[in-house]
Amino acid sequence: MAEQLRLMTVHAHPDDESSKGAATMAKYVAEGVQVLVATCTGGERGSVLNPKMDRPEVLADIANIRRAEMDKAREILGVDQAWLGFVDSGLPEGDPLPPLPEGCFGLQDPEEAAKPLIKLIREFRPHVMTTYDENGGYPHPDHIMCHKISVVAFDAAGDPEKYPELGEPWQPSKLYYNSGWTRARMLALHEGMLAAGLESPYTEWLEKWSDRQDRGDKITTRVECGEYFGVRDDALRAHATQVDPDGFWFHIPLEMQQKVWPTEDFELARSVVDSPIPESDLFAGIREKVGAH
């Protein structure tokens, strides 16, 4: 009997799973893949970014509200989800930047902080993991630490000499970094909007693009998942404290996105299997190995 494929996505905060690779997860769930989201922190220090939710009673109970939002998004995506139990660092602002709060995720020792993730990997036994690049996708201290512990855990989980107390060794086959906004993707959507006689929300971003890092040349894998963009957007809206339903995320019509850029993109960072690059499947080189279809 074919083994069920398993995907683990590692994210810094509740809501990150719905803005990075969510349509890919929904696609794989529909195909029978078991998907587990590992959420590093509770998002306790996240700002309320939706004006409709910016109320004193929401701010007073933000930790519980963000957990409830995560439950709703998880159900929409059809995934399982586990909390790693770290405390949100917040996004430091100012010049110079203030120190991070004592005990927060961003100040942890990556070797130590990787332990709950290693334990989870050994229990869930994913074939593929996704996380952020070394810059965190953007330089939030929790995103950078999420990258660090993911790499430590990927390398250590299969080593019987390391952390024997955390369960039977399991080596995931591949580790990917989520690809965020590349210039090529933004330009394609921008030009699509203009060609349709619509106003593009990206004009100012593109004018200032020279200041931004662009990793478009590092993409190895493009997963066709346009039909699940609506599921992704519903999961995003479930994070009501973080996502304004009338905001930036939803300015490009779904049909336009599906036509112009119907993939979610990834960088293959580690692999213990052979799969020709470029890829269109996170499980390329693994399906044959485990007899899954």
Side-chain angles (χ1 to χ4, degrees), residues 109-171:
D109 170 8
E111 297 285 333
E112 195 64 26
K115 286 182 177 180
L117 183 55
I118 292 167
K119 184 171 187 289
L120 194 62
I121 290 169
R122 290 177 174 177
E123 289 169 355
F124 181 65
R125 299 160 70 86
H127 299 98
V128 173
M129 289 173 59
T130 70
T131 189
Y132 314 138
D133 64 41
E134 64 276 11
N135 301 307
Y138 77 108
H140 189 300
D142 288 339
H143 285 240
I144 292 168
M145 186 58 69
C146 179
H147 160 81
K148 289 178 179 177
I149 72 164
S150 297
V151 171
V152 169
F154 182 90
D155 291 343
D159 187 343
E161 302 290 315
K162 291 190 174 173
Y163 311 101
E165 73 282 7
L166 298 179
E168 289 293 314
W170 173 263
Q171 180 58 59

Short mmCIF file of all heavy atoms in Angstrom, two decimals, residues 109-171:
data_model
loop_
_atom_site.label_atom_id
_atom_site.label_comp_id
_atom_site.label_asym_id
_atom_site.label_seq_id
_atom_site.Cartn_x
_atom_site.Cartn_y
_atom_site.Cartn_z
N ASP A 109 18.46 30.46 21.99
CA ASP A 109 19.58 29.74 21.39
C ASP A 109 18.98 28.76 20.37
O ASP A 109 18.18 27.89 20.75
CB ASP A 109 20.33 28.97 22.49
CG ASP A 109 21.35 27.99 21.92
OD1 ASP A 109 21.59 28.00 20.69
OD2 ASP A 109 21.91 27.21 22.70
N PRO A 110 19.32 28.88 19.09
CA PRO A 110 18.67 28.03 18.07
C PRO A 110 18.81 26.53 18.35
O PRO A 110 17.87 25.77 18.09
CB PRO A 110 19.40 28.42 16.78
CG PRO A 110 19.91 29.80 17.01
CD PRO A 110 20.24 29.86 18.47
N GLU A 111 19.94 26.11 18.89
CA GLU A 111 20.13 24.67 19.16
C GLU A 111 19.13 24.20 20.21
O GLU A 111 18.61 23.09 20.14
CB GLU A 111 21.57 24.41 19.65
CG GLU A 111 22.64 24.74 18.62
CD GLU A 111 22.73 23.71 17.51
OE1 GLU A 111 22.38 22.54 17.75
OE2 GLU A 111 23.15 24.09 16.40
N GLU A 112 18.87 25.04 21.19
CA GLU A 112 17.93 24.69 22.26
C GLU A 112 16.49 24.84 21.77
O GLU A 112 15.63 24.00 22.02
CB GLU A 112 18.18 25.61 23.47
CG GLU A 112 17.55 25.16 24.76
CD GLU A 112 18.06 23.84 25.29
OE1 GLU A 112 19.21 23.46 25.01
OE2 GLU A 112 17.28 23.17 26.00
N ALA A 113 16.24 25.94 21.05
CA ALA A 113 14.87 26.24 20.59
C ALA A 113 14.40 25.27 19.51
O ALA A 113 13.20 25.14 19.26
CB ALA A 113 14.80 27.67 20.07
N ALA A 114 15.34 24.57 18.87
CA ALA A 114 14.96 23.61 17.84
C ALA A 114 14.35 22.34 18.44
O ALA A 114 13.72 21.56 17.72
CB ALA A 114 16.17 23.24 16.99
N LYS A 115 14.53 22.12 19.74
CA LYS A 115 14.12 20.84 20.35
C LYS A 115 12.64 20.51 20.15
O LYS A 115 12.30 19.40 19.74
CB LYS A 115 14.49 20.81 21.83
CG LYS A 115 15.97 20.61 22.08
CD LYS A 115 16.25 20.53 23.57
CE LYS A 115 17.73 20.26 23.83
NZ LYS A 115 18.01 20.20 25.28
N PRO A 116 11.70 21.44 20.45
CA PRO A 116 10.30 21.07 20.23
C PRO A 116 9.98 20.79 18.76
O PRO A 116 9.12 19.96 18.46
CB PRO A 116 9.51 22.28 20.74
CG PRO A 116 10.48 23.37 20.95
CD PRO A 116 11.84 22.75 21.11
N LEU A 117 10.71 21.44 17.85
CA LEU A 117 10.50 21.17 16.42
C LEU A 117 11.07 19.80 16.04
O LEU A 117 10.44 19.06 15.28
CB LEU A 117 11.13 22.29 15.59
CG LEU A 117 10.91 22.19 14.07
CD1 LEU A 117 9.43 22.10 13.71
CD2 LEU A 117 11.57 23.37 13.36
N ILE A 118 12.23 19.46 16.57
CA ILE A 118 12.81 18.14 16.31
C ILE A 118 11.86 17.05 16.81
O ILE A 118 11.60 16.06 16.11
CB ILE A 118 14.19 18.01 16.98
CG1 ILE A 118 15.19 18.95 16.30
CG2 ILE A 118 14.69 16.56 16.93
CD1 ILE A 118 16.48 19.14 17.06
N LYS A 119 11.32 17.24 18.00
CA LYS A 119 10.37 16.27 18.57
C LYS A 119 9.16 16.11 17.65
O LYS A 119 8.70 15.00 17.36
CB LYS A 119 9.94 16.72 19.97
CG LYS A 119 9.04 15.75 20.71
CD LYS A 119 8.85 16.21 22.15
CE LYS A 119 8.10 15.16 22.96
NZ LYS A 119 6.68 15.06 22.58
N LEU A 120 8.65 17.25 17.15
CA LEU A 120 7.48 17.23 16.27
C LEU A 120 7.81 16.54 14.94
O LEU A 120 6.99 15.77 14.42
CB LEU A 120 7.01 18.67 16.03
CG LEU A 120 5.63 18.86 15.42
CD1 LEU A 120 4.54 18.29 16.33
CD2 LEU A 120 5.35 20.35 15.16
N ILE A 121 8.99 16.81 14.40
CA ILE A 121 9.40 16.15 13.15
C ILE A 121 9.46 14.64 13.35
O ILE A 121 8.98 13.87 12.50
CB ILE A 121 10.78 16.68 12.69
CG1 ILE A 121 10.65 18.13 12.20
CG2 ILE A 121 11.36 15.80 11.58
CD1 ILE A 121 11.98 18.83 11.98
N ARG A 122 10.02 14.21 14.47
CA ARG A 122 10.15 12.77 14.72
C ARG A 122 8.80 12.10 14.95
O ARG A 122 8.63 10.92 14.67
CB ARG A 122 11.11 12.54 15.88
CG ARG A 122 12.55 12.87 15.51
CD ARG A 122 13.52 12.72 16.67
NE ARG A 122 14.90 12.91 16.21
CZ ARG A 122 15.96 12.89 17.01
NH1 ARG A 122 15.81 12.66 18.32
NH2 ARG A 122 17.18 13.06 16.51
N GLU A 123 7.84 12.87 15.44
CA GLU A 123 6.49 12.32 15.64
C GLU A 123 5.70 12.30 14.33
O GLU A 123 5.05 11.31 13.98
CB GLU A 123 5.73 13.15 16.68
CG GLU A 123 6.25 12.98 18.10
CD GLU A 123 5.67 14.02 19.05
OE1 GLU A 123 4.93 14.93 18.60
OE2 GLU A 123 5.97 13.93 20.26
N PHE A 124 5.75 13.39 13.58
CA PHE A 124 4.94 13.54 12.37
C PHE A 124 5.60 12.89 11.14
O PHE A 124 4.92 12.45 10.23
CB PHE A 124 4.69 15.03 12.11
CG PHE A 124 3.85 15.33 10.90
CD1 PHE A 124 2.51 14.93 10.84
CD2 PHE A 124 4.39 16.01 9.81
CE1 PHE A 124 1.73 15.21 9.72
CE2 PHE A 124 3.62 16.29 8.69
CZ PHE A 124 2.30 15.88 8.64
N ARG A 125 6.93 12.86 11.12
CA ARG A 125 7.71 12.23 10.06
C ARG A 125 7.42 12.82 8.67
O ARG A 125 7.03 12.11 7.73
CB ARG A 125 7.47 10.71 10.06
CG ARG A 125 7.92 10.08 11.37
CD ARG A 125 7.28 8.71 11.60
NE ARG A 125 7.80 7.70 10.70
CZ ARG A 125 8.89 6.98 10.91
NH1 ARG A 125 9.59 7.16 12.02
NH2 ARG A 125 9.29 6.08 10.03
N PRO A 126 7.62 14.13 8.51
CA PRO A 126 7.34 14.76 7.20
C PRO A 126 8.37 14.34 6.15
O PRO A 126 9.55 14.16 6.46
CB PRO A 126 7.47 16.25 7.51
CG PRO A 126 8.44 16.33 8.64
CD PRO A 126 8.15 15.11 9.48
N HIS A 127 7.91 14.21 4.92
CA HIS A 127 8.82 14.01 3.80
C HIS A 127 9.41 15.34 3.35
O HIS A 127 10.54 15.39 2.87
CB HIS A 127 8.08 13.35 2.63
CG HIS A 127 7.51 12.01 2.97
ND1 HIS A 127 6.19 11.83 3.33
CD2 HIS A 127 8.09 10.79 3.03
CE1 HIS A 127 5.98 10.54 3.58
NE2 HIS A 127 7.11 9.89 3.41
N VAL A 128 8.62 16.41 3.48
CA VAL A 128 9.04 17.75 3.03
C VAL A 128 8.76 18.75 4.14
O VAL A 128 7.73 18.66 4.82
CB VAL A 128 8.28 18.16 1.75
CG1 VAL A 128 8.57 19.61 1.38
CG2 VAL A 128 8.64 17.24 0.59
N MET A 129 9.67 19.71 4.32
CA MET A 129 9.46 20.85 5.22
C MET A 129 9.60 22.14 4.43
O MET A 129 10.38 22.22 3.48
CB MET A 129 10.51 20.85 6.34
CG MET A 129 10.35 19.77 7.38
SD MET A 129 11.76 19.75 8.54
CE MET A 129 11.69 21.42 9.24
N THR A 130 8.84 23.16 4.83
CA THR A 130 9.05 24.50 4.29
C THR A 130 9.25 25.46 5.46
O THR A 130 8.73 25.26 6.56
CB THR A 130 7.86 25.00 3.45
OG1 THR A 130 6.73 25.25 4.31
CG2 THR A 130 7.48 24.00 2.37
N THR A 131 10.04 26.50 5.22
CA THR A 131 10.29 27.54 6.22
C THR A 131 10.69 28.81 5.48
O THR A 131 10.42 28.96 4.29
CB THR A 131 11.35 27.09 7.24
OG1 THR A 131 11.42 28.02 8.32
CG2 THR A 131 12.74 26.96 6.61
N TYR A 132 11.36 29.74 6.17
CA TYR A 132 11.80 31.00 5.56
C TYR A 132 13.29 30.95 5.25
O TYR A 132 14.02 30.15 5.82
CB TYR A 132 11.53 32.19 6.50
CG TYR A 132 10.16 32.20 7.13
CD1 TYR A 132 9.99 32.53 8.47
CD2 TYR A 132 9.03 31.85 6.40
CE1 TYR A 132 8.74 32.53 9.06
CE2 TYR A 132 7.78 31.85 6.99
CZ TYR A 132 7.64 32.19 8.32
OH TYR A 132 6.40 32.18 8.90
N ASP A 133 13.73 31.87 4.38
CA ASP A 133 15.16 31.96 4.09
C ASP A 133 15.91 32.60 5.26
O ASP A 133 15.30 32.97 6.26
CB ASP A 133 15.40 32.71 2.77
CG ASP A 133 14.95 34.17 2.82
OD1 ASP A 133 15.17 34.85 3.85
OD2 ASP A 133 14.37 34.65 1.83
N GLU A 134 17.22 32.73 5.12
CA GLU A 134 18.05 33.21 6.23
C GLU A 134 17.73 34.64 6.64
O GLU A 134 18.07 35.08 7.74
CB GLU A 134 19.54 33.07 5.88
CG GLU A 134 20.02 33.90 4.71
CD GLU A 134 19.79 33.25 3.35
OE1 GLU A 134 19.08 32.23 3.24
OE2 GLU A 134 20.33 33.80 2.36
N ASN A 135 17.05 35.38 5.76
CA ASN A 135 16.63 36.75 6.11
C ASN A 135 15.21 36.78 6.67
O ASN A 135 14.66 37.85 6.92
CB ASN A 135 16.71 37.65 4.88
CG ASN A 135 18.11 37.69 4.30
OD1 ASN A 135 19.05 37.97 5.02
ND2 ASN A 135 18.25 37.38 3.03
N GLY A 136 14.62 35.61 6.83
CA GLY A 136 13.28 35.52 7.39
C GLY A 136 12.18 35.87 6.40
O GLY A 136 11.02 36.02 6.79
N GLY A 137 12.53 36.01 5.10
CA GLY A 137 11.54 36.53 4.14
C GLY A 137 11.49 38.04 4.25
O GLY A 137 11.52 38.75 3.27
N TYR A 138 11.42 38.54 5.47
CA TYR A 138 11.70 39.94 5.79
C TYR A 138 12.26 39.93 7.20
O TYR A 138 12.01 38.99 7.97
CB TYR A 138 10.45 40.84 5.63
CG TYR A 138 9.43 40.75 6.75
CD1 TYR A 138 9.28 41.80 7.66
CD2 TYR A 138 8.61 39.63 6.90
CE1 TYR A 138 8.34 41.73 8.68
CE2 TYR A 138 7.67 39.56 7.92
CZ TYR A 138 7.55 40.61 8.80
OH TYR A 138 6.62 40.55 9.82
N PRO A 139 13.05 40.94 7.58
CA PRO A 139 13.88 40.80 8.77
C PRO A 139 13.15 40.97 10.12
O PRO A 139 13.56 41.78 10.95
CB PRO A 139 14.96 41.87 8.57
CG PRO A 139 14.31 42.90 7.71
CD PRO A 139 13.35 42.17 6.82
N HIS A 140 12.11 40.21 10.33
CA HIS A 140 11.47 40.16 11.65
C HIS A 140 12.27 39.15 12.49
O HIS A 140 12.59 38.07 12.00
CB HIS A 140 10.02 39.69 11.50
CG HIS A 140 9.20 39.79 12.74
ND1 HIS A 140 9.52 39.12 13.91
CD2 HIS A 140 8.06 40.48 13.01
CE1 HIS A 140 8.61 39.39 14.83
NE2 HIS A 140 7.72 40.22 14.31
N PRO A 141 12.61 39.49 13.74
CA PRO A 141 13.44 38.57 14.54
C PRO A 141 12.84 37.18 14.67
O PRO A 141 13.58 36.18 14.72
CB PRO A 141 13.56 39.27 15.90
CG PRO A 141 12.58 40.40 15.88
CD PRO A 141 12.33 40.75 14.46
N ASP A 142 11.52 37.07 14.73
CA ASP A 142 10.90 35.75 14.84
C ASP A 142 11.01 34.95 13.55
O ASP A 142 11.14 33.73 13.57
CB ASP A 142 9.42 35.88 15.23
CG ASP A 142 9.23 36.33 16.67
OD1 ASP A 142 10.16 36.16 17.47
OD2 ASP A 142 8.14 36.87 16.99
N HIS A 143 10.96 35.63 12.41
CA HIS A 143 11.09 34.94 11.13
C HIS A 143 12.52 34.43 10.95
O HIS A 143 12.74 33.32 10.45
CB HIS A 143 10.72 35.88 9.98
CG HIS A 143 9.25 36.09 9.85
ND1 HIS A 143 8.55 35.76 8.71
CD2 HIS A 143 8.33 36.59 10.72
CE1 HIS A 143 7.26 36.05 8.89
NE2 HIS A 143 7.11 36.56 10.10
N ILE A 144 13.49 35.24 11.37
CA ILE A 144 14.89 34.82 11.27
C ILE A 144 15.15 33.64 12.20
O ILE A 144 15.81 32.66 11.81
CB ILE A 144 15.81 36.02 11.57
CG1 ILE A 144 15.68 37.05 10.45
CG2 ILE A 144 17.25 35.57 11.74
CD1 ILE A 144 16.32 38.39 10.75
N MET A 145 14.61 33.68 13.42
CA MET A 145 14.79 32.56 14.34
C MET A 145 14.05 31.32 13.85
O MET A 145 14.52 30.19 14.02
CB MET A 145 14.31 32.95 15.74
CG MET A 145 14.59 31.88 16.80
SD MET A 145 16.33 31.42 16.98
CE MET A 145 17.01 32.91 17.69
N CYS A 146 12.90 31.51 13.21
CA CYS A 146 12.16 30.39 12.61
C CYS A 146 13.04 29.69 11.57
O CYS A 146 13.11 28.45 11.53
CB CYS A 146 10.87 30.92 11.98
SG CYS A 146 9.86 29.66 11.18
N HIS A 147 13.71 30.47 10.74
CA HIS A 147 14.66 29.89 9.78
C HIS A 147 15.74 29.10 10.50
O HIS A 147 16.04 27.95 10.13
CB HIS A 147 15.31 31.00 8.94
CG HIS A 147 16.59 30.57 8.28
ND1 HIS A 147 16.62 29.86 7.11
CD2 HIS A 147 17.89 30.73 8.67
CE1 HIS A 147 17.88 29.59 6.79
NE2 HIS A 147 18.66 30.11 7.71
N LYS A 148 16.32 29.69 11.52
CA LYS A 148 17.45 29.05 12.21
C LYS A 148 17.06 27.72 12.82
O LYS A 148 17.76 26.71 12.66
CB LYS A 148 18.01 29.99 13.30
CG LYS A 148 18.75 31.19 12.73
CD LYS A 148 19.23 32.09 13.86
CE LYS A 148 20.00 33.29 13.31
NZ LYS A 148 20.41 34.22 14.39
N ILE A 149 15.92 27.68 13.53
CA ILE A 149 15.56 26.42 14.19
C ILE A 149 15.11 25.38 13.17
O ILE A 149 15.30 24.17 13.38
CB ILE A 149 14.51 26.60 15.31
CG1 ILE A 149 13.11 26.92 14.76
CG2 ILE A 149 14.96 27.63 16.33
CD1 ILE A 149 12.00 26.73 15.78
N SER A 150 14.55 25.82 12.05
CA SER A 150 14.11 24.88 11.01
C SER A 150 15.32 24.17 10.40
O SER A 150 15.29 22.95 10.17
CB SER A 150 13.33 25.60 9.92
OG SER A 150 12.15 26.17 10.43
N VAL A 151 16.39 24.93 10.15
CA VAL A 151 17.59 24.34 9.57
C VAL A 151 18.25 23.39 10.58
O VAL A 151 18.65 22.27 10.23
CB VAL A 151 18.57 25.45 9.12
CG1 VAL A 151 19.92 24.86 8.73
CG2 VAL A 151 17.96 26.22 7.94
N VAL A 152 18.36 23.82 11.83
CA VAL A 152 18.93 22.95 12.88
C VAL A 152 18.11 21.66 12.97
O VAL A 152 18.67 20.55 13.02
CB VAL A 152 18.96 23.67 14.25
CG1 VAL A 152 19.28 22.69 15.37
CG2 VAL A 152 19.96 24.81 14.23
N ALA A 153 16.79 21.80 13.00
CA ALA A 153 15.91 20.64 13.16
C ALA A 153 15.98 19.71 11.96
O ALA A 153 16.02 18.48 12.10
CB ALA A 153 14.47 21.09 13.39
N PHE A 154 16.01 20.26 10.75
CA PHE A 154 16.11 19.43 9.54
C PHE A 154 17.38 18.60 9.58
O PHE A 154 17.37 17.41 9.25
CB PHE A 154 16.09 20.32 8.29
CG PHE A 154 16.14 19.53 7.00
CD1 PHE A 154 14.98 19.11 6.39
CD2 PHE A 154 17.36 19.23 6.39
CE1 PHE A 154 15.01 18.37 5.19
CE2 PHE A 154 17.41 18.51 5.21
CZ PHE A 154 16.23 18.08 4.61
N ASP A 155 18.49 19.22 9.98
CA ASP A 155 19.78 18.53 10.00
C ASP A 155 19.90 17.53 11.15
O ASP A 155 20.60 16.53 11.03
CB ASP A 155 20.92 19.55 10.09
CG ASP A 155 21.07 20.37 8.82
OD1 ASP A 155 20.54 19.96 7.77
OD2 ASP A 155 21.72 21.44 8.87
N ALA A 156 19.21 17.81 12.27
CA ALA A 156 19.39 16.98 13.47
C ALA A 156 18.36 15.86 13.61
O ALA A 156 18.64 14.83 14.24
CB ALA A 156 19.32 17.86 14.72
N ALA A 157 17.18 16.03 13.03
CA ALA A 157 16.07 15.09 13.31
C ALA A 157 16.39 13.67 12.89
O ALA A 157 15.91 12.70 13.51
CB ALA A 157 14.79 15.57 12.62
N GLY A 158 17.20 13.51 11.85
CA GLY A 158 17.53 12.18 11.36
C GLY A 158 18.78 11.58 11.97
O GLY A 158 19.16 10.45 11.63
N ASP A 159 19.43 12.31 12.86
CA ASP A 159 20.70 11.87 13.44
C ASP A 159 20.44 11.17 14.78
O ASP A 159 20.06 11.82 15.75
CB ASP A 159 21.61 13.08 13.64
CG ASP A 159 23.02 12.70 14.08
OD1 ASP A 159 23.21 11.56 14.55
OD2 ASP A 159 23.91 13.56 13.98
N PRO A 160 20.68 9.84 14.85
CA PRO A 160 20.41 9.12 16.10
C PRO A 160 21.30 9.55 17.26
O PRO A 160 20.98 9.31 18.42
CB PRO A 160 20.65 7.65 15.73
CG PRO A 160 21.50 7.68 14.50
CD PRO A 160 21.17 8.95 13.79
N GLU A 161 22.41 10.22 16.94
CA GLU A 161 23.32 10.69 17.99
C GLU A 161 22.81 11.97 18.66
O GLU A 161 23.25 12.32 19.75
CB GLU A 161 24.70 10.99 17.38
CG GLU A 161 25.36 9.82 16.67
CD GLU A 161 25.80 8.74 17.65
OE1 GLU A 161 26.40 9.10 18.67
OE2 GLU A 161 25.52 7.56 17.39
N LYS A 162 21.91 12.67 17.97
CA LYS A 162 21.47 13.98 18.49
C LYS A 162 20.08 13.87 19.12
O LYS A 162 19.16 13.31 18.53
CB LYS A 162 21.45 15.02 17.35
CG LYS A 162 22.85 15.37 16.89
CD LYS A 162 22.83 16.56 15.95
CE LYS A 162 24.27 16.99 15.62
NZ LYS A 162 24.30 18.03 14.59
N TYR A 163 19.96 14.43 20.30
CA TYR A 163 18.68 14.51 21.02
C TYR A 163 17.94 13.16 21.05
O TYR A 163 16.77 13.09 20.67
CB TYR A 163 17.77 15.57 20.38
CG TYR A 163 18.44 16.90 20.12
CD1 TYR A 163 18.89 17.25 18.84
CD2 TYR A 163 18.63 17.83 21.15
CE1 TYR A 163 19.51 18.48 18.59
CE2 TYR A 163 19.25 19.05 20.90
CZ TYR A 163 19.68 19.37 19.63
OH TYR A 163 20.27 20.58 19.39
N PRO A 164 18.60 12.08 21.53
CA PRO A 164 17.92 10.78 21.53
C PRO A 164 16.65 10.77 22.37
O PRO A 164 15.74 9.97 22.14
CB PRO A 164 18.98 9.82 22.10
CG PRO A 164 19.96 10.69 22.81
CD PRO A 164 19.97 11.99 22.08
N GLU A 165 16.57 11.71 23.32
CA GLU A 165 15.39 11.78 24.20
C GLU A 165 14.15 12.31 23.47
O GLU A 165 13.03 12.26 24.01
CB GLU A 165 15.68 12.66 25.42
CG GLU A 165 15.77 14.16 25.18
CD GLU A 165 17.08 14.67 24.55
OE1 GLU A 165 17.93 13.83 24.17
OE2 GLU A 165 17.23 15.90 24.45
N LEU A 166 14.32 12.82 22.25
CA LEU A 166 13.21 13.45 21.53
C LEU A 166 12.50 12.52 20.56
O LEU A 166 11.68 12.97 19.77
CB LEU A 166 13.71 14.71 20.80
CG LEU A 166 14.29 15.81 21.69
CD1 LEU A 166 14.77 16.99 20.85
CD2 LEU A 166 13.27 16.28 22.73
N GLY A 167 12.81 11.22 20.61
CA GLY A 167 12.07 10.28 19.76
C GLY A 167 12.95 9.59 18.73
O GLY A 167 14.14 9.89 18.59
N GLU A 168 12.34 8.69 17.99
CA GLU A 168 13.05 7.93 16.95
C GLU A 168 13.47 8.86 15.82
O GLU A 168 12.66 9.66 15.35
CB GLU A 168 12.13 6.83 16.40
CG GLU A 168 11.88 5.68 17.36
CD GLU A 168 13.13 4.87 17.62
OE1 GLU A 168 13.85 4.54 16.64
OE2 GLU A 168 13.42 4.60 18.80
N PRO A 169 14.70 8.73 15.34
CA PRO A 169 15.18 9.63 14.28
C PRO A 169 14.30 9.56 13.03
O PRO A 169 13.78 8.50 12.68
CB PRO A 169 16.59 9.10 13.97
CG PRO A 169 17.00 8.36 15.18
CD PRO A 169 15.75 7.78 15.77
N TRP A 170 14.15 10.71 12.38
CA TRP A 170 13.46 10.78 11.09
C TRP A 170 14.11 11.87 10.27
O TRP A 170 14.24 13.02 10.73
CB TRP A 170 11.97 11.09 11.26
CG TRP A 170 11.28 11.32 9.93
CD1 TRP A 170 11.01 12.53 9.35
CD2 TRP A 170 10.83 10.33 9.01
NE1 TRP A 170 10.41 12.36 8.13
CE2 TRP A 170 10.28 11.00 7.89
CE3 TRP A 170 10.83 8.93 9.01
CZ2 TRP A 170 9.75 10.34 6.79
CZ3 TRP A 170 10.29 8.27 7.92
CH2 TRP A 170 9.75 8.96 6.83
N GLN A 171 14.53 11.54 9.07
CA GLN A 171 15.15 12.52 8.18
C GLN A 171 14.17 12.96 7.10
O GLN A 171 13.84 12.18 6.21
CB GLN A 171 16.39 11.93 7.51
CG GLN A 171 17.09 12.90 6.55
CD GLN A 171 17.52 14.18 7.23
OE1 GLN A 171 18.30 14.16 8.18
NE2 GLN A 171 17.00 15.33 6.78
#
